[in-house]
């Protein structure tokens, strides 16, 4: 990836900005368009890209797409407890309470001192009709503040 990026940068440095690049087939390609589109491709594999993309997909009610993007962000930062908590939300919206609880269990394992993870997990368990277990989670939340 680094070699390809360096090669593209070297080629682009030879082209003066704003000048059209003429290719033998008669296609005209502006070098400024190449430079503006390059950062999006480079950014496509970054943590922030997947986090923002997942957030946008939730706003568009594309919950499966959001889960996919948050999963990609987790692959980049697997010890980020907040990401598991965030990914639990679209699972909750899809009524995948078991998946949402599983994500919160992972978040709690990474960061056991975050009370909001216990509260969310208790809410999800309550929705699964696990009332007694939900009460235990709520009690843990009270003491973890």
């Amino acid at each position: 990836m680094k070699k390809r990026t360096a090669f593209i940068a070297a080629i682009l440095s030879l082209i003066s900005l704003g000048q059209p690049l003429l290719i033998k087939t008669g296609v005209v390609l502006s070098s400024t368009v190449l430079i503006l589109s390059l950062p999006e491709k480079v950014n496509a594999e970054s943590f922030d890209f997947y986090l923002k993309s997942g957030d946008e997909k939730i706003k568009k009610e594309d919950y499966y797409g959001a889960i996919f993007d948050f999963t990609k962000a987790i692959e980049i930062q697997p010890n980020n407890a907040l990401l598991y908590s965030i990914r639990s939300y679209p699972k909750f919206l899809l009524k995948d309470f078991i998946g949402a609880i599983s994500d919160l269990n992972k978040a709690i394992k990474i960061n056991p001192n975050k009370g909001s993870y216990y509260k969310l997990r208790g809410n999800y368990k309550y929705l699964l009709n696990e009332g007694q277990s939900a009460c235990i989670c709520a009690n843990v939340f009270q003491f973890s503040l």
Side-chain angles (χ1 to χ4, degrees):
M1 182 71 180
K2 290 181 181 180
K3 289 181 182 180
R4 182 173 51 175
T5 304
F7 176 74
I8 291 171
I11 295 290
L12 292 176
S13 69
L14 297 174
I15 302 169
S16 61
L17 292 176
Q19 297 297 319
L21 173 66
L22 297 176
I23 301 173
K24 284 186 180 180
T25 60
V27 177
V28 176
L29 184 63
S30 175
S31 61
T32 54
V33 174
L34 285 175
I35 292 170
L36 293 176
S37 66
L38 184 62
E40 185 65 32
K41 285 189 174 186
V42 171
N43 193 28
E45 294 295 323
S46 77
F47 168 80
D48 289 331
F49 174 82
Y50 288 116
L51 195 60
K52 289 176 186 174
S53 178
D55 185 48
E56 289 298 318
K57 287 179 181 174
I58 286 177
K59 290 176 185 173
K60 294 177 183 175
E61 298 181 4
D62 177 11
Y63 303 128
Y64 291 106
I67 292 168
F68 177 82
D69 286 343
F70 294 141
T71 301
K72 288 297 222 178
I74 287 170
E75 288 173 6
I76 295 169
Q77 291 189 10
N79 292 321
N80 189 328
L82 181 61
L83 285 175
Y84 289 100
S85 173
I86 291 170
R87 187 175 69 176
S88 76
Y89 181 64
K91 289 182 178 183
F92 164 78
L93 294 173
L94 290 169
K95 298 186 187 319
D96 177 13
F97 301 124
I98 295 171
I101 290 168
S102 174
D103 277 351
L104 287 167
N105 287 338
K106 290 174 187 171
I108 290 168
K109 185 176 181 181
I110 295 168
N111 185 0
N113 297 321
K114 186 76 171 176
S116 61
Y117 299 158
Y118 293 96
K119 183 178 179 182
L120 271 173
R121 186 175 70 176
N123 290 338
Y124 295 163
K125 285 188 174 193
Y126 177 78
L127 292 170
L128 271 173
N129 295 323
E130 294 183 17
Q132 186 176 8
S133 178
C135 290
I136 292 169
C137 289
N139 288 334
V140 169
F141 171 68
Q142 289 176 347
F143 293 114
S144 65
L145 293 174

